[in-house]
Amino acid sequence: MKGRDVSTELNIASGSPATSEADAVVVGTLSGEGAPVLAPGAEEIDAAFDGGLAALLAVAGATGKADEVVKIPTRGTVAAPLLVAVGLGKPGADGAPGAEQVRRASGSAARALSGTGHAVSTLGRIDLAAAGEGMLLGSYTFTEYRSNGNGKAPVARVDLVSDDADAEAVLRTAVAVGTAVRTARDFVNTPPNDLFPAVFADRAKALAEAAGITVEVLDDTALAEAGFGGVVGVGQGSSRKPRLVRLSYAGGATPRAKVALVGKGITFDTGGISIKPAAGMDAMTSDMSGAAAVIATTILAATLELPVAVTATVPMAENMPSDTAYRPGDVLRMYGGKTVEVLNTDAEGRLILADAIVRAGEDAPDYLIETSTLTGAQQVALGLRTMGVMGSDEFRDRVADLARESGEDGWAMPLPEHMRAELDSRVADLANVTGARWGGMLVAGTFLREFVPEGLPWAHLDIAGPAFHSGAPYGYTTKGGTGVPIRTLFAVLRDIAANG
Ligand code: BES
Ligand code: MN
Ligand code: ZN
Protein backbone atom coordinates (compact mmCIF):
# COMPACT_ATOMS: atom_id res chain seq x y z
CA MET A 1 0.00 0.00 0.00
CA LYS A 2 1.07 3.54 -0.73
CA GLY A 3 0.86 6.29 1.88
CA ARG A 4 -1.59 9.18 1.99
CA ASP A 5 -1.90 11.18 -1.22
CA VAL A 6 0.31 14.23 -1.08
CA SER A 7 -1.48 17.49 -0.53
CA THR A 8 -1.09 20.58 -2.68
CA GLU A 9 1.45 22.94 -1.10
CA LEU A 10 0.00 26.41 -0.51
CA ASN A 11 2.01 29.62 -0.11
CA ILE A 12 1.30 33.32 -0.05
CA ALA A 13 2.48 34.74 -3.41
CA SER A 14 5.24 37.28 -3.34
CA GLY A 15 5.19 39.92 -6.05
CA SER A 16 2.73 40.45 -8.88
CA PRO A 17 0.84 37.47 -10.38
CA ALA A 18 1.67 38.94 -13.80
CA THR A 19 5.39 38.32 -13.33
CA SER A 20 5.14 35.00 -11.44
CA GLU A 21 7.11 32.23 -13.18
CA ALA A 22 4.28 29.77 -12.52
CA ASP A 23 2.91 27.28 -15.07
CA ALA A 24 -0.55 28.80 -14.81
CA VAL A 25 -2.32 31.84 -13.39
CA VAL A 26 -5.90 31.64 -12.05
CA VAL A 27 -8.35 34.54 -12.35
CA GLY A 28 -12.01 34.73 -11.39
CA THR A 29 -14.89 35.72 -13.63
CA LEU A 30 -18.34 36.95 -12.60
CA SER A 31 -21.49 36.44 -14.60
CA GLY A 32 -23.30 39.63 -15.51
CA GLU A 33 -25.59 40.63 -18.35
CA GLY A 34 -24.21 38.49 -21.17
CA ALA A 35 -20.42 38.96 -21.14
CA PRO A 36 -18.37 37.91 -18.11
CA VAL A 37 -16.85 40.52 -15.82
CA LEU A 38 -13.36 40.06 -14.42
CA ALA A 39 -13.47 39.46 -10.64
CA PRO A 40 -11.38 41.67 -8.35
CA GLY A 41 -7.77 40.55 -7.85
CA ALA A 42 -6.77 40.15 -11.49
CA GLU A 43 -5.87 43.82 -12.08
CA GLU A 44 -2.20 43.29 -13.09
CA ILE A 45 -3.19 40.41 -15.36
CA ASP A 46 -5.87 42.51 -17.05
CA ALA A 47 -3.39 45.38 -17.45
CA ALA A 48 -1.00 43.01 -19.24
CA PHE A 49 -3.88 42.28 -21.64
CA ASP A 50 -4.37 46.05 -22.10
CA GLY A 51 -7.63 45.89 -20.17
CA GLY A 52 -9.14 43.46 -22.65
CA LEU A 53 -9.05 40.18 -20.71
CA ALA A 54 -12.81 39.90 -20.06
CA ALA A 55 -13.58 40.49 -23.75
CA LEU A 56 -10.97 37.91 -24.77
CA LEU A 57 -12.41 35.36 -22.36
CA ALA A 58 -15.90 36.04 -23.74
CA VAL A 59 -14.61 35.15 -27.22
CA ALA A 60 -13.34 31.86 -25.73
CA GLY A 61 -16.85 31.16 -24.43
CA ALA A 62 -16.58 32.33 -20.82
CA THR A 63 -19.78 33.54 -19.15
CA GLY A 64 -18.63 33.66 -15.52
CA LYS A 65 -21.15 31.11 -14.27
CA ALA A 66 -20.22 28.96 -11.28
CA ASP A 67 -17.86 26.02 -11.94
CA GLU A 68 -17.05 27.17 -15.49
CA VAL A 69 -13.38 26.81 -16.41
CA VAL A 70 -11.92 28.45 -19.53
CA LYS A 71 -8.23 28.08 -20.37
CA ILE A 72 -6.33 30.37 -22.75
CA PRO A 73 -2.62 30.58 -23.64
CA THR A 74 -1.10 33.90 -22.57
CA ARG A 75 1.47 34.25 -25.41
CA GLY A 76 3.91 36.33 -23.39
CA THR A 77 1.46 38.88 -21.97
CA VAL A 78 2.16 37.57 -18.47
CA ALA A 79 4.97 35.27 -17.29
CA ALA A 80 2.78 32.19 -16.79
CA PRO A 81 2.07 30.49 -20.14
CA LEU A 82 -1.51 29.46 -19.26
CA LEU A 83 -4.43 31.47 -17.91
CA VAL A 84 -7.23 29.60 -16.15
CA ALA A 85 -10.43 31.65 -15.79
CA VAL A 86 -12.84 30.18 -13.29
CA GLY A 87 -16.48 31.24 -12.90
CA LEU A 88 -17.72 32.59 -9.57
CA GLY A 89 -21.33 33.13 -10.62
CA LYS A 90 -23.31 36.29 -9.85
CA PRO A 91 -21.81 38.69 -7.30
CA GLY A 92 -23.75 39.28 -4.07
CA ALA A 93 -25.76 42.40 -3.24
CA ASP A 94 -22.55 44.22 -2.26
CA GLY A 95 -21.07 43.56 -5.71
CA ALA A 96 -18.50 41.06 -4.40
CA PRO A 97 -18.67 37.25 -4.55
CA GLY A 98 -19.25 35.49 -1.19
CA ALA A 99 -16.87 33.10 0.57
CA GLU A 100 -18.60 29.96 -0.64
CA GLN A 101 -18.50 31.20 -4.25
CA VAL A 102 -14.74 31.69 -3.92
CA ARG A 103 -14.24 28.32 -2.17
CA ARG A 104 -16.19 26.58 -4.88
CA ALA A 105 -14.45 28.34 -7.77
CA SER A 106 -11.07 27.65 -6.20
CA GLY A 107 -12.03 23.98 -6.00
CA SER A 108 -12.99 23.93 -9.68
CA ALA A 109 -9.68 25.60 -10.50
CA ALA A 110 -7.83 23.01 -8.40
CA ARG A 111 -9.37 20.18 -10.39
CA ALA A 112 -8.68 21.93 -13.70
CA LEU A 113 -5.04 22.35 -12.62
CA SER A 114 -4.38 18.65 -12.00
CA GLY A 115 -1.13 17.66 -13.68
CA THR A 116 0.23 21.19 -13.25
CA GLY A 117 3.37 21.79 -11.21
CA HIS A 118 2.98 25.36 -10.03
CA ALA A 119 0.10 27.82 -10.22
CA VAL A 120 -0.56 31.31 -8.89
CA SER A 121 -4.15 32.24 -7.95
CA THR A 122 -5.61 35.72 -7.69
CA LEU A 123 -8.71 34.38 -5.89
CA GLY A 124 -6.82 34.83 -2.61
CA ARG A 125 -7.36 38.57 -2.95
CA ILE A 126 -11.15 38.13 -2.76
CA ASP A 127 -11.12 35.72 0.20
CA LEU A 128 -7.83 34.09 1.17
CA ALA A 129 -9.29 31.51 3.58
CA ALA A 130 -11.94 30.40 1.09
CA ALA A 131 -9.45 30.26 -1.80
CA GLY A 132 -7.05 28.16 0.29
CA GLU A 133 -9.70 25.75 1.55
CA GLY A 134 -11.15 25.37 -1.96
CA MET A 135 -7.71 24.51 -3.36
CA LEU A 136 -7.03 21.83 -0.73
CA LEU A 137 -10.49 20.28 -1.05
CA GLY A 138 -10.70 20.43 -4.84
CA SER A 139 -7.23 18.93 -5.34
CA TYR A 140 -8.01 16.00 -3.03
CA THR A 141 -7.46 12.54 -4.51
CA PHE A 142 -7.65 9.06 -3.02
CA THR A 143 -5.41 6.65 -4.92
CA GLU A 144 -4.43 4.22 -2.18
CA TYR A 145 -6.22 1.36 -3.95
CA ARG A 146 -5.22 2.12 -7.54
CA SER A 147 -2.31 0.19 -8.99
CA ASN A 148 -1.38 3.00 -11.38
CA GLY A 149 -2.36 6.19 -9.62
CA ASN A 150 -5.46 8.09 -10.64
CA GLY A 151 -4.62 9.86 -13.89
CA LYS A 152 -2.99 13.24 -13.40
CA ALA A 153 -1.40 14.16 -10.09
CA PRO A 154 -2.94 17.03 -8.13
CA VAL A 155 -1.39 20.47 -8.68
CA ALA A 156 1.82 20.41 -6.65
CA ARG A 157 2.07 24.02 -5.51
CA VAL A 158 -0.23 27.04 -5.55
CA ASP A 159 0.76 30.58 -4.58
CA LEU A 160 -2.22 32.60 -3.38
CA VAL A 161 -2.12 36.32 -3.99
CA SER A 162 -3.25 38.27 -0.94
CA ASP A 163 -3.24 41.83 0.35
CA ASP A 164 -4.15 40.75 3.91
CA ALA A 165 -1.75 42.00 6.60
CA ASP A 166 -2.15 38.68 8.47
CA ALA A 167 -2.13 36.51 5.35
CA GLU A 168 0.22 33.88 6.80
CA ALA A 169 -2.04 33.30 9.82
CA VAL A 170 -5.18 33.14 7.67
CA LEU A 171 -3.50 30.64 5.37
CA ARG A 172 -2.33 28.51 8.32
CA THR A 173 -5.94 28.19 9.51
CA ALA A 174 -7.20 27.40 6.01
CA VAL A 175 -4.55 24.68 5.62
CA ALA A 176 -5.55 23.19 8.99
CA VAL A 177 -9.23 23.14 7.99
CA GLY A 178 -8.39 21.67 4.58
CA THR A 179 -6.20 19.03 6.21
CA ALA A 180 -9.01 18.08 8.62
CA VAL A 181 -11.45 17.62 5.74
CA ARG A 182 -8.92 15.55 3.82
CA THR A 183 -8.32 13.34 6.88
CA ALA A 184 -12.05 12.68 7.23
CA ARG A 185 -12.37 11.97 3.50
CA ASP A 186 -9.53 9.43 3.75
CA PHE A 187 -11.33 7.65 6.59
CA VAL A 188 -14.62 7.58 4.67
CA ASN A 189 -13.00 6.46 1.42
CA THR A 190 -11.08 3.59 3.00
CA PRO A 191 -13.11 0.46 2.19
CA PRO A 192 -14.91 -1.42 4.97
CA ASN A 193 -12.75 -4.53 4.68
CA ASP A 194 -9.77 -2.43 5.77
CA LEU A 195 -11.50 0.09 8.04
CA PHE A 196 -13.35 -1.83 10.74
CA PRO A 197 -13.76 -0.72 14.37
CA ALA A 198 -10.36 -1.89 15.70
CA VAL A 199 -8.46 -0.32 12.79
CA PHE A 200 -10.54 2.86 12.85
CA ALA A 201 -9.86 3.23 16.57
CA ASP A 202 -6.12 2.61 16.09
CA ARG A 203 -5.84 5.17 13.29
CA ALA A 204 -7.87 7.77 15.18
CA LYS A 205 -5.68 7.19 18.24
CA ALA A 206 -2.44 7.61 16.29
CA LEU A 207 -3.59 10.85 14.63
CA ALA A 208 -4.97 12.29 17.86
CA GLU A 209 -1.91 11.44 19.92
CA ALA A 210 0.30 13.08 17.30
CA ALA A 211 -1.77 16.25 17.90
CA GLY A 212 -1.25 16.00 21.68
CA ILE A 213 -4.79 14.80 22.41
CA THR A 214 -5.65 12.38 25.24
CA VAL A 215 -7.13 9.14 23.88
CA GLU A 216 -9.11 6.39 25.58
CA VAL A 217 -10.26 3.28 23.68
CA LEU A 218 -12.76 0.81 25.14
CA ASP A 219 -12.75 -2.61 23.45
CA ASP A 220 -15.67 -5.05 23.35
CA THR A 221 -14.85 -6.56 26.75
CA ALA A 222 -14.63 -3.15 28.41
CA LEU A 223 -17.84 -2.05 26.67
CA ALA A 224 -19.75 -5.08 27.94
CA GLU A 225 -18.41 -4.62 31.48
CA ALA A 226 -19.37 -0.94 31.55
CA GLY A 227 -22.87 -1.65 30.21
CA PHE A 228 -22.77 -0.10 26.76
CA GLY A 229 -25.70 -2.24 25.59
CA GLY A 230 -26.30 -0.29 22.37
CA VAL A 231 -22.76 -0.55 21.03
CA VAL A 232 -22.41 -4.17 22.17
CA GLY A 233 -25.81 -5.16 20.74
CA VAL A 234 -25.23 -3.62 17.32
CA GLY A 235 -21.62 -4.85 17.18
CA GLN A 236 -22.20 -8.44 18.26
CA GLY A 237 -23.13 -9.74 14.78
CA SER A 238 -19.67 -9.02 13.42
CA SER A 239 -16.42 -10.88 14.03
CA ARG A 240 -14.82 -7.42 13.99
CA LYS A 241 -15.58 -6.24 17.50
CA PRO A 242 -16.90 -2.80 18.44
CA ARG A 243 -14.99 0.03 20.10
CA LEU A 244 -15.71 3.30 21.85
CA VAL A 245 -13.07 5.98 21.29
CA ARG A 246 -12.82 9.09 23.43
CA LEU A 247 -10.59 12.01 22.37
CA SER A 248 -10.09 14.88 24.80
CA TYR A 249 -8.54 18.23 23.97
CA ALA A 250 -8.34 20.41 27.08
CA GLY A 251 -8.71 23.78 25.32
CA GLY A 252 -5.60 25.41 26.73
CA ALA A 253 -5.21 27.10 30.12
CA THR A 254 -8.53 28.95 30.12
CA PRO A 255 -11.12 27.23 27.95
CA ARG A 256 -14.20 29.34 27.29
CA ALA A 257 -16.57 26.35 27.36
CA LYS A 258 -16.73 22.57 27.25
CA VAL A 259 -18.14 20.98 24.10
CA ALA A 260 -19.05 17.31 23.66
CA LEU A 261 -18.93 15.92 20.12
CA VAL A 262 -20.48 12.58 19.22
CA GLY A 263 -20.24 10.89 15.80
CA LYS A 264 -21.76 7.72 14.34
CA GLY A 265 -19.06 5.17 13.50
CA ILE A 266 -20.78 2.28 11.74
CA THR A 267 -17.89 1.04 9.59
CA PHE A 268 -20.37 -0.86 7.41
CA ASP A 269 -24.15 -1.03 7.61
CA THR A 270 -25.71 -4.11 6.02
CA GLY A 271 -28.88 -3.46 8.01
CA GLY A 272 -28.17 -6.59 10.08
CA ILE A 273 -30.98 -9.18 10.28
CA SER A 274 -33.33 -6.49 8.89
CA ILE A 275 -31.01 -6.60 5.91
CA LYS A 276 -30.84 -3.84 3.27
CA PRO A 277 -31.45 -4.49 -0.44
CA ALA A 278 -28.27 -5.20 -2.45
CA ALA A 279 -28.59 -2.16 -4.74
CA GLY A 280 -26.57 0.71 -3.33
CA MET A 281 -25.51 -1.13 -0.18
CA ASP A 282 -21.86 -0.37 -1.02
CA ALA A 283 -22.49 3.28 -0.08
CA MET A 284 -22.84 2.10 3.52
CA THR A 285 -19.05 2.17 3.70
CA SER A 286 -19.69 5.84 4.49
CA ASP A 287 -21.81 5.12 7.57
CA MET A 288 -18.91 6.24 9.77
CA SER A 289 -18.80 9.76 8.29
CA GLY A 290 -20.04 11.38 11.50
CA ALA A 291 -17.27 9.64 13.45
CA ALA A 292 -14.64 10.74 10.92
CA ALA A 293 -15.87 14.33 11.13
CA VAL A 294 -15.80 14.61 14.93
CA ILE A 295 -12.38 12.95 15.13
CA ALA A 296 -10.94 15.34 12.53
CA THR A 297 -12.64 18.35 14.16
CA THR A 298 -11.21 17.54 17.59
CA ILE A 299 -7.72 17.27 16.09
CA LEU A 300 -8.33 20.56 14.25
CA ALA A 301 -9.32 22.32 17.49
CA ALA A 302 -6.10 21.07 19.10
CA THR A 303 -3.94 22.01 16.10
CA LEU A 304 -5.30 25.57 16.14
CA GLU A 305 -5.27 25.70 19.97
CA LEU A 306 -8.88 26.89 20.14
CA PRO A 307 -9.78 28.02 23.67
CA VAL A 308 -12.59 25.46 23.93
CA ALA A 309 -12.39 22.06 25.65
CA VAL A 310 -13.54 19.39 23.20
CA THR A 311 -14.26 15.75 23.95
CA ALA A 312 -15.27 13.46 21.12
CA THR A 313 -17.13 10.28 22.05
CA VAL A 314 -17.12 7.92 19.09
CA PRO A 315 -18.93 4.56 19.05
CA MET A 316 -17.66 2.20 16.34
CA ALA A 317 -19.34 -1.01 15.21
CA GLU A 318 -20.05 -3.08 12.12
CA ASN A 319 -23.74 -3.93 11.58
CA MET A 320 -23.80 -7.50 10.23
CA PRO A 321 -26.32 -10.34 10.05
CA SER A 322 -25.03 -13.59 11.55
CA ASP A 323 -25.83 -16.24 14.14
CA THR A 324 -24.50 -13.90 16.81
CA ALA A 325 -26.31 -10.81 15.52
CA TYR A 326 -28.91 -8.92 17.53
CA ARG A 327 -32.46 -9.51 16.33
CA PRO A 328 -35.76 -7.71 15.92
CA GLY A 329 -37.47 -8.31 19.26
CA ASP A 330 -34.31 -8.07 21.36
CA VAL A 331 -34.33 -5.62 24.24
CA LEU A 332 -31.06 -3.81 24.86
CA ARG A 333 -30.09 -2.18 28.14
CA MET A 334 -28.36 1.02 27.14
CA TYR A 335 -25.55 2.78 28.97
CA GLY A 336 -27.25 4.66 31.80
CA GLY A 337 -29.98 2.02 32.22
CA LYS A 338 -32.77 2.84 29.72
CA THR A 339 -34.09 -0.18 27.81
CA VAL A 340 -34.81 -0.24 24.08
CA GLU A 341 -36.84 -2.76 22.13
CA VAL A 342 -35.23 -3.38 18.75
CA LEU A 343 -37.93 -3.52 16.09
CA ASN A 344 -35.57 -3.01 13.15
CA THR A 345 -31.85 -3.83 13.28
CA ASP A 346 -31.25 -1.34 10.45
CA ALA A 347 -32.06 1.51 12.84
CA GLU A 348 -28.69 0.78 14.48
CA GLY A 349 -27.13 4.24 14.45
CA ARG A 350 -29.44 5.64 17.12
CA LEU A 351 -28.60 2.66 19.36
CA ILE A 352 -24.84 3.18 19.40
CA LEU A 353 -25.38 6.96 19.59
CA ALA A 354 -27.67 6.67 22.61
CA ASP A 355 -24.86 5.00 24.58
CA ALA A 356 -22.35 7.60 23.41
CA ILE A 357 -24.63 10.56 24.17
CA VAL A 358 -25.22 9.33 27.74
CA ARG A 359 -21.47 8.82 28.22
CA ALA A 360 -20.71 12.28 26.79
CA GLY A 361 -23.32 13.80 29.11
CA GLU A 362 -21.45 12.47 32.17
CA ASP A 363 -18.69 15.02 31.54
CA ALA A 364 -21.21 17.84 32.16
CA PRO A 365 -20.48 19.68 28.89
CA ASP A 366 -21.90 23.14 28.10
CA TYR A 367 -22.99 21.98 24.63
CA LEU A 368 -23.41 18.64 22.88
CA ILE A 369 -23.25 18.22 19.11
CA GLU A 370 -23.89 14.83 17.56
CA THR A 371 -23.62 14.03 13.86
CA SER A 372 -24.55 10.94 11.91
CA THR A 373 -25.55 9.45 8.58
CA LEU A 374 -28.72 8.53 10.40
CA THR A 375 -31.69 8.28 8.05
CA GLY A 376 -32.59 7.85 4.40
CA ALA A 377 -35.48 10.14 5.34
CA GLN A 378 -33.01 13.04 5.61
CA GLN A 379 -32.25 12.60 1.91
CA VAL A 380 -35.95 12.50 1.07
CA ALA A 381 -36.70 15.64 3.10
CA LEU A 382 -33.72 17.86 2.26
CA GLY A 383 -31.86 16.24 -0.63
CA LEU A 384 -28.25 15.27 -0.94
CA ARG A 385 -26.57 18.58 -0.07
CA THR A 386 -28.47 19.98 2.91
CA MET A 387 -28.00 18.50 6.36
CA GLY A 388 -30.92 18.34 8.76
CA VAL A 389 -30.26 20.18 12.03
CA MET A 390 -32.33 19.22 15.07
CA GLY A 391 -31.99 19.65 18.83
CA SER A 392 -32.78 22.26 21.49
CA ASP A 393 -34.41 25.24 19.74
CA GLU A 394 -31.90 28.04 20.32
CA PHE A 395 -28.69 26.07 19.84
CA ARG A 396 -30.15 24.21 16.83
CA ASP A 397 -30.86 27.53 15.11
CA ARG A 398 -27.37 28.82 15.92
CA VAL A 399 -25.79 25.68 14.43
CA ALA A 400 -28.01 25.79 11.33
CA ASP A 401 -27.04 29.45 10.72
CA LEU A 402 -23.35 28.59 11.10
CA ALA A 403 -23.76 25.60 8.74
CA ARG A 404 -24.97 27.96 6.03
CA GLU A 405 -22.25 30.52 6.78
CA SER A 406 -19.59 27.81 6.49
CA GLY A 407 -20.87 26.88 3.04
CA GLU A 408 -22.04 23.45 4.22
CA ASP A 409 -25.76 23.80 3.81
CA GLY A 410 -27.99 23.05 6.79
CA TRP A 411 -31.61 23.58 7.72
CA ALA A 412 -33.35 23.55 11.11
CA MET A 413 -35.98 20.83 11.54
CA PRO A 414 -38.43 20.30 14.43
CA LEU A 415 -38.73 17.46 16.92
CA PRO A 416 -42.52 17.46 17.40
CA GLU A 417 -43.53 16.35 20.91
CA HIS A 418 -46.22 13.96 19.67
CA MET A 419 -43.59 11.76 18.00
CA ARG A 420 -42.30 10.46 21.31
CA ALA A 421 -45.48 8.43 21.83
CA GLU A 422 -44.91 6.69 18.49
CA LEU A 423 -41.75 5.20 19.99
CA ASP A 424 -43.63 3.59 22.90
CA SER A 425 -42.71 -0.08 23.23
CA ARG A 426 -44.74 -3.13 24.26
CA VAL A 427 -41.99 -4.29 26.64
CA ALA A 428 -39.24 -1.69 27.05
CA ASP A 429 -38.81 2.03 27.82
CA LEU A 430 -38.91 2.79 24.12
CA ALA A 431 -38.64 1.16 20.70
CA ASN A 432 -35.99 2.00 18.12
CA VAL A 433 -38.49 2.64 15.30
CA THR A 434 -42.16 3.50 14.81
CA GLY A 435 -44.72 1.55 12.82
CA ALA A 436 -45.17 4.31 10.23
CA ARG A 437 -42.65 5.82 7.85
CA TRP A 438 -43.63 9.48 8.19
CA GLY A 439 -41.01 11.99 9.31
CA GLY A 440 -38.29 9.36 9.73
CA MET A 441 -35.55 11.96 10.24
CA LEU A 442 -37.48 13.58 13.07
CA VAL A 443 -38.34 10.24 14.66
CA ALA A 444 -34.63 9.43 14.85
CA GLY A 445 -33.93 12.83 16.41
CA THR A 446 -36.77 12.27 18.87
CA PHE A 447 -35.21 8.93 19.85
CA LEU A 448 -31.82 10.57 20.49
CA ARG A 449 -33.40 13.34 22.59
CA GLU A 450 -34.41 10.71 25.15
CA PHE A 451 -30.71 10.26 25.99
CA VAL A 452 -29.64 13.91 26.17
CA PRO A 453 -29.32 15.29 29.72
CA GLU A 454 -32.21 17.60 30.66
CA GLY A 455 -31.47 21.26 29.92
CA LEU A 456 -28.26 20.69 27.94
CA PRO A 457 -28.13 22.74 24.70
CA TRP A 458 -27.65 20.14 21.97
CA ALA A 459 -27.77 19.66 18.22
CA HIS A 460 -28.19 16.60 16.01
CA LEU A 461 -26.88 16.89 12.44
CA ASP A 462 -28.25 14.26 10.06
CA ILE A 463 -25.73 14.13 7.21
CA ALA A 464 -26.99 11.01 5.36
CA GLY A 465 -27.04 12.95 2.07
CA PRO A 466 -24.19 15.49 2.33
CA ALA A 467 -21.51 13.18 3.81
CA PHE A 468 -20.95 11.16 0.65
CA HIS A 469 -20.97 12.28 -2.97
CA SER A 470 -21.65 9.68 -5.67
CA GLY A 471 -22.07 11.97 -8.68
CA ALA A 472 -19.60 13.88 -10.82
CA PRO A 473 -17.23 16.22 -8.97
CA TYR A 474 -18.27 19.88 -8.74
CA GLY A 475 -16.51 22.84 -7.17
CA TYR A 476 -14.41 21.51 -4.30
CA THR A 477 -16.63 18.43 -3.86
CA THR A 478 -14.85 15.33 -5.13
CA LYS A 479 -16.32 11.84 -5.42
CA GLY A 480 -16.76 9.88 -2.19
CA GLY A 481 -16.45 11.27 1.32
CA THR A 482 -16.99 15.04 1.48
CA GLY A 483 -15.82 15.85 5.01
CA VAL A 484 -19.21 17.37 5.90
CA PRO A 485 -19.89 18.64 8.62
CA ILE A 486 -16.34 19.52 9.72
CA ARG A 487 -16.54 23.14 8.60
CA THR A 488 -19.84 23.57 10.44
CA LEU A 489 -18.45 22.01 13.63
CA PHE A 490 -15.37 24.21 13.38
CA ALA A 491 -17.52 27.32 12.87
CA VAL A 492 -19.54 26.39 15.96
CA LEU A 493 -16.39 25.84 18.06
CA ARG A 494 -14.98 29.18 16.91
CA ASP A 495 -18.27 30.90 17.69
CA ILE A 496 -18.33 29.35 21.16
CA ALA A 497 -14.68 30.35 21.68
CA ALA A 498 -15.61 33.94 20.84
CA ASN A 499 -19.04 34.25 22.47
CA GLY A 500 -19.36 31.40 24.95
N1 BES B 1 -27.13 4.35 7.68
C1 BES B 1 -28.53 4.33 7.43
C2 BES B 1 -29.06 5.65 6.91
C3 BES B 1 -28.57 6.10 5.55
C4 BES B 1 -29.30 5.83 4.42
C5 BES B 1 -27.40 6.83 5.43
C6 BES B 1 -28.86 6.27 3.19
C7 BES B 1 -26.96 7.26 4.21
C8 BES B 1 -27.68 6.98 3.08
C9 BES B 1 -29.27 4.00 8.72
O1 BES B 1 -28.62 3.15 9.59
C10 BES B 1 -30.53 3.32 8.34
O2 BES B 1 -30.47 2.24 7.82
N2 BES B 1 -31.66 3.97 8.60
C11 BES B 1 -32.94 3.42 8.29
C12 BES B 1 -33.85 3.68 9.46
C13 BES B 1 -35.16 2.93 9.37
C14 BES B 1 -34.94 1.45 9.55
C15 BES B 1 -36.08 3.48 10.43
C16 BES B 1 -33.45 4.12 7.04
O3 BES B 1 -33.25 5.33 6.89
O4 BES B 1 -34.04 3.44 6.20
MN1 MN C 1 -28.99 1.12 9.20
ZN1 ZN D 1 -26.57 3.13 9.49
Side-chain angles (χ1 to χ4, degrees):
M1 263 198 262
K2 294 162 286 176
R4 287 181 63 166
D5 287 21
V6 284
S7 172
T8 300
E9 176 195 328
L10 298 184
N11 305 291
I12 301 298
S14 54
S16 162
T19 55
S20 165
E21 300 282 340
D23 302 308
V25 57
V26 178
V27 305
T29 52
L30 295 162
S31 59
E33 304 297 318
V37 176
L38 213 54
E43 291 76 15
E44 301 97 319
I45 310 291
D46 193 31
F49 281 86
D50 296 330
L53 182 54
L56 193 65
L57 288 169
V59 172
T63 65
K65 72 170 193 287
D67 294 344
E68 171 187 272
V69 173
V70 173
K71 296 182 179 181
I72 59 168
T74 61
R75 302 195 68 224
T77 49
V78 295
L82 177 69
L83 183 135
V84 177
V86 59
L88 288 148
K90 282 199 176 61
D94 60 352
E100 179 62 7
Q101 287 175 283
V102 175
R103 194 180 287 113
R104 189 169 165 158
S106 190
S108 291
R111 290 186 294 105
L113 287 167
S114 66
T116 305
H118 175 200
V120 58
S121 172
T122 62
L123 296 175
R125 275 192 177 138
I126 311 174
D127 187 323
L128 178 60
E133 288 174 18
M135 266 296 155
L136 285 181
L137 304 198
S139 66
Y140 173 84
T141 55
F142 184 74
T143 58
E144 178 121 11
Y145 292 84
R146 294 208 193 269
S147 314
N148 299 308
N150 192 13
K152 291 179 187 165
V155 54
R157 166 183 165 196
V158 178
D159 300 342
L160 297 161
V161 185
S162 172
D163 305 319
D164 280 11
D166 56 351
E168 291 293 348
V170 172
L171 183 62
R172 231 181 351 262
T173 301
V175 169
V177 171
T179 304
V181 171
R182 295 170 65 100
T183 298
R185 287 182 181 180
D186 282 348
F187 274 134
V188 174
N189 291 336
T190 302
N193 54 331
D194 281 345
L195 192 92
F196 47 89
V199 170
F200 194 11
D202 280 351
R203 292 194 189 177
K205 182 173 196 253
L207 283 177
E209 281 178 348
I213 288 171
T214 311
V215 182
E216 177 195 14
V217 179
L218 301 189
D219 65 10
D220 53 311
T221 314
L223 286 166
E225 265 169 27
F228 286 91
V231 183
V232 169
V234 172
Q236 74 189 33
S238 175
S239 59
R240 285 105 150 249
K241 295 300 172 204
R243 296 286 186 273
L244 184 88
V245 176
R246 303 242 311 150
L247 310 180
S248 299
Y249 160 62
T254 52
R256 183 82 194 251
K258 203 151 103 181
V259 179
L261 299 179
V262 174
K264 173 178 174 181
I266 294 291
T267 59
F268 193 73
D269 182 13
T270 64
I273 297 294
S274 314
I275 199 164
K276 288 180 182 294
M281 197 199 278
D282 56 287
M284 287 301 114
T285 181
S286 65
D287 213 17
M288 33 56 70
S289 297
V294 302
I295 290 164
T297 302
T298 307
I299 294 171
L300 175 61
T303 304
L304 294 175
E305 301 180 341
L306 285 190
V308 182
V310 182
T311 297
T313 303
V314 191
M316 299 172 175
E318 184 175 51
N319 189 19
M320 294 290 269
S322 75
D323 63 331
T324 63
Y326 78 138
R327 342 154 172 67
D330 281 2
V331 173
L332 305 179
R333 186 173 296 276
M334 317 299 281
Y335 188 71
K338 280 203 174 70
T339 57
V340 176
E341 180 188 15
V342 177
L343 293 178
N344 188 321
T345 63
D346 198 12
E348 84 297 339
R350 61 197 74 181
L351 298 171
I352 66 166
L353 291 167
D355 274 357
I357 288 170
V358 174
R359 175 63 191 90
E362 288 180 346
D363 300 335
D366 299 302
Y367 300 95
L368 184 148
I369 314 173
E370 173 280 330
T371 183
S372 44
T373 45
L374 202 59
T375 66
Q378 180 279 322
Q379 301 180 320
V380 175
L382 293 172
L384 297 178
R385 298 189 188 180
T386 304
M387 68 181 106
V389 184
M390 288 143 278
S392 49
D393 291 353
E394 215 177 301
F395 190 55
R396 170 203 63 205
D397 288 347
R398 182 175 171 188
V399 172
D401 285 346
L402 287 164
R404 286 189 296 275
E405 268 174 44
S406 76
E408 294 179 333
D409 203 16
W411 202 256
M413 300 296 281
L415 296 178
E417 280 304 330
H418 69 86
M419 284 192 167
R420 171 60 188 86
E422 295 180 48
L423 288 167
D424 283 348
S425 157
R426 180 177 59 83
V427 288
D429 296 336
L430 73 166
N432 76 331
V433 295
T434 63
R437 63 193 180 89
W438 313 117
M441 168 170 55
L442 318 182
V443 169
T446 300
F447 180 94
L448 294 179
R449 181 173 59 195
E450 291 296 303
F451 299 88
V452 178
E454 196 63 42
L456 174 63
W458 71 289
H460 157 54
L461 278 49
D462 193 334
I463 53 167
F468 194 74
H469 180 61
S470 307
Y474 64 94
Y476 56 78
T477 304
T478 50
K479 261 185 188 290
T482 60
V484 172
I486 290 173
R487 290 187 287 123
T488 299
L489 297 175
F490 179 56
V492 174
L493 292 180
R494 274 218 284 207
D495 193 50
I496 291 172
N499 305 305

